[in-house]
Amino acid sequence: MSIKDTAQAWIDEHIGELLDWHTHIWELAEPAWREFDSQAWYVRRLREEGFEVEDGSGGMPTAFSARWSNGPGPRLLTYAEYDAVPGNSQAATTHEEPRGELSRFAPGHTDPHSALGISTLAGLLATKHAMTTHGITGTLLYTGEPAEKMHGSKVVHGLRGYYDEADAIVSFHPFYMLPLCNTARWDTQCGAYYSKVYSFLCDEPETWQLSSADPHSPIPASHSAARAPGANLALTQMLTSSRSMLDSMLPATGGWSFTDAILTDGQATADNLPQRVARVQFSWRTPDIEMAEHVLAVLDRNATAAAMMAHCSVEERWVARSRPGRTNHVLAQALYDNLAEVGPPVYGFEAVALAQEVQRNLGVEVSEKPFLPETERLIEPQEAERQLREQMPAWQRNWTSDDYVEMSHYAPLVRFYVSRPALASAPGAGPYPGWVMNALGGMPELIAPTILTAGKTISGTFLDLFTSPDVLAQVKEEYESRIAEEPMPALLPADFAAPIDLPWPDYRVDRGSGRRCW
């Protein structure tokens, strides 16, 4: 049996376990910076497989860094993600329903990162098995990356040197937009991503209007006195002013986005007192750093003005500040060759039946072939690039946003995609509701093709790099030349700490029953 056949056979033989593992992570569905059970599962699993694991790497409790070595040789890295998204609780069923007794606003896996992590773990363990069986030397590196939805951990791991020893990195994501389905990125990588939390603090409400103070009241701000506007006003002023200025922040073209979230500590009740704290997070995706910096300057000015209006001070906290990605043609071609050898995902009878049941429950015409045709087809990186460029202005170099970009500044990296189950739109019916893709991603019969294809592609690529020193030398030569042509220093200081202490959404566990509540 060849080296790659050995790895692929391991994945085929262990697909039942891999799907059980996937279901476990998918059901946990823990949101950003709060993936405690998911991370603990990975740490235990990797230690049982013989890896040395640093628990809580980079000062992040829900991150990890693992390594396994079979002697001198190349050092290759891939990673797991496992954060879910608040407001997307969905059971692995063919109708809309939250998981268990949770609120529908609890987190759920959307992309799904559960499949991302288990797919890369499958490739990692299959490679280890083949290396042991065939006596191949080298080192496997594997990192746990929390809070991907906020570009959380990779910027920190990068600044702390966790990627420095890697000779190459394989970055995987389940497909989420065409034409990037069953392919590798070529020239157009993801762009810049900035995310920042502005906290408005009303710590001196008594100094708002001294003339209204009642000398007979024991409370500086009595119910009858004029009171400071408070933190909520600052937040709403910041939110509305920034939203109303979007046209002045960025051009009308270029593929950018601007989102916000309100963090909820300190606002449990309404009382006749100034709100002491209010926090708003802004995140923006842009094709380049110059555009991202322009948005930042506007937001910083707005925050200062909003705080002054509401008699507050403002604290600023970075969540992420990511550079656009670097491409590597040699590595992308090497990976795609392996993907072509494995072939695209194939959805069997059981998967088709489940997809048809979803259509039936939605009152959509049931189709013989319910899946998006592209999910079962390969597209060469160069052709995907051509189609991608048709959608973009000629000046735009980068498109969308994902935090793998930070890793590409520390080692050669390839970004690839394998389809996750997605239904083709029925004629005249419009797009499916969001819960459909979330539900399909949790069904073992439907997610198995993603894990099989991605895992085998990763193991094949790793084994090629371990056994083909000339290819790896070309990968590194291209990486060094691109660094020299366009230096791009980190955007945050080396001692930047992840904002794990902010009041991010979380589960509450009942001490008596152990039940998780949102």
Side-chain angles (χ1 to χ4, degrees), residues 43-57:
V43 169
R44 287 195 303 270
R45 179 79 261 157
L46 289 162
R47 285 174 175 166
E48 289 170 2
E49 296 291 342
F51 282 75
E52 298 176 5
V53 184
E54 179 186 352
D55 190 347
S57 52

Side-chain angles (χ1 to χ4, degrees), residues 89-93 95-106:
S89 179
Q90 172 60 41
T93 61
H95 57 275
E96 186 175 14
E97 177 186 357
R99 300 187 322 282
E101 298 180 4
L102 292 171
S103 160
R104 62 194 177 100
F105 302 117

Side-chain angles (χ1 to χ4, degrees), residues 246-316:
L246 282 180
D247 287 345
S248 301
M249 286 185 183
L250 290 170
T253 61
W256 54 272
S257 68
F258 181 80
T259 55
D260 54 70
I262 295 173
L263 306 186
T264 57
D265 68 322
Q267 303 300 327
T269 60
D271 193 5
N272 192 31
L273 293 170
Q275 297 82 18
R276 292 201 59 194
V277 60
R279 308 181 197 272
V280 60
Q281 176 188 10
F282 290 104
S283 303
W284 54 107
R285 295 168 163 85
T286 63
D288 54 50
I289 292 174
E290 180 182 4
M291 292 172 67
E293 289 289 328
H294 178 67
V295 176
L296 173 63
V298 174
L299 291 177
D300 284 351
R301 290 198 300 267
N302 289 354
T304 299
M308 292 175 64
M309 290 179 65
H311 196 60
C312 292
S313 61
V314 61
E315 293 181 354
E316 302 170 4

Side-chain angles (χ1 to χ4, degrees), residues 56-227:
S57 52
M60 299 174 286
T62 55
F64 65 81
S65 177
R67 64 162 41 233
W68 177 86
S69 184
N70 204 31
R75 294 157 297 189
L76 307 179
L77 186 147
T78 189
Y79 58 88
E81 293 170 7
Y82 30 81
D83 60 316
V85 184
N88 285 273
S89 179
Q90 172 60 41
T93 61
T94 57
H95 57 275
E96 186 175 14
E97 177 186 357
R99 300 187 322 282
E101 298 180 4
L102 292 171
S103 160
R104 62 194 177 100
F105 302 117
H109 280 287
T110 56
D111 279 351
H113 288 170
S114 51
L116 188 161
I118 298 302
S119 296
T120 58
L121 182 62
L124 183 83
L125 298 181
T127 304
K128 174 178 175 287
H129 173 69
M131 292 173 71
T132 302
T133 302
H134 295 274
I136 299 169
T137 59
T139 298
L140 293 170
L141 306 172
Y142 194 60
T143 53
E145 306 288 356
E148 187 280 333
K149 287 295 183 183
M150 291 189 280
H151 285 220
S153 66
K154 295 187 185 75
V155 64
V156 179
H157 272 152
L159 291 168
R160 299 289 192 281
Y162 283 87
Y163 310 135
D164 289 351
E165 67 171 315
D167 292 306
I169 299 173
V170 170
S171 170
F172 163 66
H173 201 289
F175 142 80
Y176 59 93
M177 61 180 71
L178 297 176
L180 299 176
C181 186
N182 301 317
T183 193
R185 277 191 184 257
W186 196 244
D187 282 320
T188 304
Q189 302 294 326
C190 285
Y193 174 92
Y194 283 31
S195 184
K196 197 175 188 183
V197 171
Y198 295 88
S199 297
F200 297 99
L201 309 172
C202 187
D203 285 334
E204 297 181 349
E206 68 278 1
T207 62
W208 168 250
Q209 192 170 335
L210 292 176
S211 61
S212 69
D214 182 352
H216 303 292
S217 173
I219 303 173
S222 69
H223 290 297
S224 61
R227 63 175 188 155

